[in-house]
């Protein structure tokens, strides 16, 4: 009997010379430290970071949610490798003071781990 096993393949690998954030569940790369905008965000399960861009992440359908900073259209994001929900993407901000979040990503600390050169 021959068994086919699927090896883990990530869509993108971030350069090992940079500090990166990875999925705590499967270690898929998620974001480069250079893409970090803010560490002072709140996710549904605690603290979260705001990123300019992410990799190896899938996006669900957008829906309107009332968050701490008002009404936003957000789409849940998940790890493409292990399918764990990581946070969300801001699709639209209804208040002008929140427009800077549009197109940015929230990843909750509970779902990511620091990789490469944090010593």
């Amino acid at each position: 009997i021959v068994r086919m096993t699927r090896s883990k393949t990530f869509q993108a690998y971030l350069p090992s010379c940079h500090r990166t954030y990875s999925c705590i569940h499967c270690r898929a790369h998620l974001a480069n430290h250079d893409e970090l905008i803010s560490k002072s965000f709140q996710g549904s399960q605690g603290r979260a970071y705001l990123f300019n861009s992410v990799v190896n992440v899938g996006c669900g359908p957008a829906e309107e949610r009332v968050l701490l900073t008002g009404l936003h259209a957000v789409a849940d994001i998940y790890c493409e490798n292990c399918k764990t929900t990581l946070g969300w993407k801001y699709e639209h901000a209804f208040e002008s003071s929140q427009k800077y979040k549009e197109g940015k990503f929230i990843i909750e600390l509970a779902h990511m781990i620091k990789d490469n050169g944090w010593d």
Side-chain angles (χ1 to χ4, degrees):
I1 296 173
V2 176
R3 295 180 80 188
M4 297 297 287
T5 58
R6 211 178 83 161
S7 63
K8 290 184 182 180
T9 54
F10 305 143
Q11 291 178 339
Y13 286 93
L14 296 170
S16 59
C17 59
H18 290 98
R19 294 183 293 174
T20 57
Y21 297 92
S22 300
C23 176
I24 199 167
H25 309 285
C26 71
R27 297 303 279 267
H29 289 172
L30 298 175
N32 190 316
H33 183 64
D34 296 341
E35 296 298 316
L36 178 65
I37 297 169
S38 173
K39 294 181 176 184
S40 59
F41 275 72
Q42 192 67 27
S44 57
Q45 299 178 14
R47 288 186 50 219
Y49 288 0
L50 181 70
F51 291 96
N52 206 35
S53 68
V54 294
V55 296
N56 300 318
V57 164
C59 210
E63 60 183 40
E64 291 183 6
R65 288 188 202 151
V66 178
L67 303 174
L68 292 172
T69 53
L71 182 64
H72 295 80
V74 298
D76 284 338
I77 60 171
Y78 57 89
C79 176
E80 279 283 8
N81 189 55
C82 70
K83 308 303 181 202
T84 300
T85 300
L86 303 168
W88 61 83
K89 177 182 181 185
Y90 287 101
E91 298 287 357
H92 180 70
F94 291 91
E95 295 179 31
S96 57
S97 65
Q98 302 299 311
K99 290 284 187 192
Y100 75 95
K101 296 177 185 173
E102 291 181 350
K104 308 292 190 291
F105 300 85
I106 285 286
I107 299 179
E108 298 182 352
L109 264 60
H111 300 299
M112 66 181 174
I113 190 167
K114 293 174 177 179
D115 267 338
N116 298 330
W118 286 92
D119 306 328

